């Protein structure tokens, strides 16, 4: 195989490495942001009682449902705040987010919130709920809440499978890209490309400068994306006019992982470039001696 053809293949493979690496790093960072520890931290530090979403609040059925609950005669504003800030509420949220995540990745069918979950939460922590609300929730209250839940069709709106049925392509792509096997495959392909180029070029690293440049570009993009995570969170907050730290809590671990992957990729890219330069110099020196 002539020199030009080998160079062309090297460029194509390097571009492929950059693209598959981008998909893998972004997916891996999102996966890192969805691990149990990150979800538990988000639920624990989410400023639920201070959260405001003005632009979409009128279209949020769950918000309407909560308003009906807290406007029950006898429940004061402070009681509602106590309920939102309670540890059992945050544990419930973390558990539900984890179930949605597992349903997204593995189709467990558990990505749903039913009124029975709300009722079970109230029954399990009845004494704590009564103390936080400074109000004893009665069976009549729970029946009224159930009717509101049904009227707002929340039983249908909080089932992930409903959205998956409406947008099968999008959810199918997300489940594939976020899967563990895809992340492993992208890492193996990126590493395997380097080995393949070494064999292609006659067991030599002299053309790995192109491969190293692709890794360096990948690292720079990852680092830039990591630096923009805070801006992304602020942008989303401005778009929906939301005052909450939830976006920042979600993007923080994602950004940290992107930065780590970006630095590792950039460092490996620099190493490959240096190795390529040194190999070329060694080859040139050996040719001169001949």
């Amino acid at each position: 195989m002539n020199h030009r053809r080998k160079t062309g293949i090297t460029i194509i493979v390097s571009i492929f490495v950059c693209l598959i690496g981008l998909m893998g790093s972004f997916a891996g960072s999102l996966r890192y942001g969805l691990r149990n520890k990150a979800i538990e931290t988000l639920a624990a530090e989410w400023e639920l009682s201070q959260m405001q979403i003005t632009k979409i609040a009128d279209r949020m059925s769950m918000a309407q449902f909560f308003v009906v609950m807290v406007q029950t005669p006898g429940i004061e504003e402070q009681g509602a705040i106590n309920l939102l800030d309670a540890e059992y509420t945050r544990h419930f949220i973390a558990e539900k987010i984890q179930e949605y995540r597992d349903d997204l990745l593995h189709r467990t069918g558990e990505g749903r919130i039913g009124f029975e979950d709300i009722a079970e939460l109230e029954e399990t922590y009845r004494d704590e709920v009564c103390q936080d609300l400074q109000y004893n929730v009665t069976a009549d209250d729970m029946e009224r809440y159930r009717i509101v839940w049904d009227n707002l069709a929340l039983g249908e709106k909080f089932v992930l499978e409903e959205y998956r049925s409406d947008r099968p392509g999008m959810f199918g792509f997300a489940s594939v890209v976020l899967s563990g096997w895809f992340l492993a495959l992208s890492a193996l392909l990126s590493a395997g490309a380097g080995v393949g180029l070494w064999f292609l070029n006659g067991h030599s690293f002299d053309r790995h400068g192109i491969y190293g440049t692709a890794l360096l570009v990948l690292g720079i993009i990852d680092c830039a994306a990591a630096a923009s995570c805070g801006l992304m969170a602020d942008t989303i907050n401005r778009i929906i006019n939301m005052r909450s730290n939830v976006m920042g809590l979600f993007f923080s671990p994602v950004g940290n992982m992107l930065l780590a992957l970006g630095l590792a990729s950039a460092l490996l890219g620099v190493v490959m470039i240096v190795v390529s330069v040194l190999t070329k110099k060694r080859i040139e020196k050996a040719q001169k001696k001949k």
Side-chain angles (χ1 to χ4, degrees):
M1 189 180 297
N2 60 41
H3 174 82
R4 180 176 295 179
R5 191 169 182 180
K6 286 183 179 180
T7 301
I9 293 175
T10 301
I11 292 173
I12 292 173
V13 170
S14 297
I15 292 174
F16 170 78
V17 167
C18 187
L19 294 176
I20 195 69
L22 276 175
M23 291 183 65
S25 59
F26 276 77
S29 298
L30 287 173
R31 185 75 182 256
Y32 181 76
L34 291 173
R35 74 196 195 283
N36 286 345
K37 181 64 176 177
I39 291 174
E40 290 167 2
T41 299
L42 182 147
E45 298 182 10
W46 188 355
E47 296 171 353
L48 274 168
S49 61
Q50 304 300 317
M51 186 173 178
Q52 293 184 28
I53 311 177
T54 58
K55 285 187 178 179
I56 62 174
D58 60 330
R59 300 194 296 273
M60 288 181 63
S61 299
M62 189 62 185
Q64 297 171 27
F65 173 74
F66 183 70
V67 167
V68 171
M69 289 183 65
V70 300
Q71 284 184 345
T72 300
I75 297 180
E76 304 292 336
E77 180 183 356
Q78 187 57 48
I81 293 174
N82 293 339
L83 180 67
L84 286 173
D85 287 339
E87 184 176 348
Y88 52 83
T89 302
R90 297 178 180 278
H91 176 72
F92 174 80
I93 291 172
E95 187 178 71
K96 287 302 172 183
I97 294 176
Q98 289 168 2
E99 289 178 358
Y100 273 94
R101 175 206 59 199
D102 292 340
D103 197 359
L104 173 65
L105 298 177
H106 309 298
R107 300 199 70 153
T108 61
E110 296 181 351
R112 60 178 64 238
I113 301 177
F115 187 81
E116 61 274 9
D117 296 313
I118 306 295
E120 182 181 358
L121 180 68
E122 187 276 332
E123 182 179 355
T124 303
Y125 298 98
R126 181 162 295 166
D127 292 340
E128 291 87 343
V129 170
C130 180
Q131 182 177 355
D132 288 334
L133 287 177
Q134 291 297 298
Y135 175 81
N136 184 25
V137 179
T138 66
D140 289 340
D141 290 328
M142 292 302 295
E143 183 59 29
R144 184 159 54 87
Y145 299 155
R146 181 186 294 277
I147 292 172
V148 173
W149 183 280
D150 292 340
N151 288 341
L152 292 173
L154 295 181
E156 300 173 5
K157 294 176 181 176
F158 290 127
V159 179
L160 183 61
E161 189 60 38
E162 294 288 332
Y163 295 95
R164 184 185 278 118
S165 298
D166 292 339
R167 300 176 179 85
M170 183 183 73
F171 279 90
F173 176 77
S175 62
V176 168
V177 171
L178 292 173
S179 64
W181 66 263
F182 175 82
L183 299 178
L185 181 63
S186 61
L188 287 173
L189 286 175
S190 298
V195 176
L197 291 175
W198 181 73
F199 279 106
L200 176 69
N201 294 298
H203 298 181
S204 174
F205 290 103
D206 64 324
R207 290 190 182 87
H208 269 59
I210 300 173
Y211 174 71
T213 301
L215 291 176
L216 179 59
V217 170
L218 170 60
I220 292 172
I221 293 175
D222 282 345
C223 289
S228 66
C229 278
L231 179 61
M232 180 68 72
D234 292 340
T235 300
I236 294 174
N237 285 339
R238 283 197 300 271
I239 290 173
I240 62 176
N241 200 8
M242 176 169 66
R243 288 213 306 254
S244 173
N245 63 340
V246 63
M247 287 295 122
L249 289 170
F250 172 71
F251 279 107
S252 179
V254 173
N256 291 339
M257 178 53 69
L258 272 174
L259 180 61
L261 292 174
L263 291 175
S265 180
L267 178 60
L268 183 58
V270 170
V271 170
M272 288 292 99
I273 293 171
V274 171
V275 168
S276 175
V277 171
L278 293 177
T279 300
K280 286 180 179 179
K281 287 184 176 181
R282 181 174 57 80
I283 293 174
E284 290 173 357
K285 188 178 293 185
Q287 290 176 344
K288 287 180 180 179
K289 288 182 178 179
K290 291 181 181 179

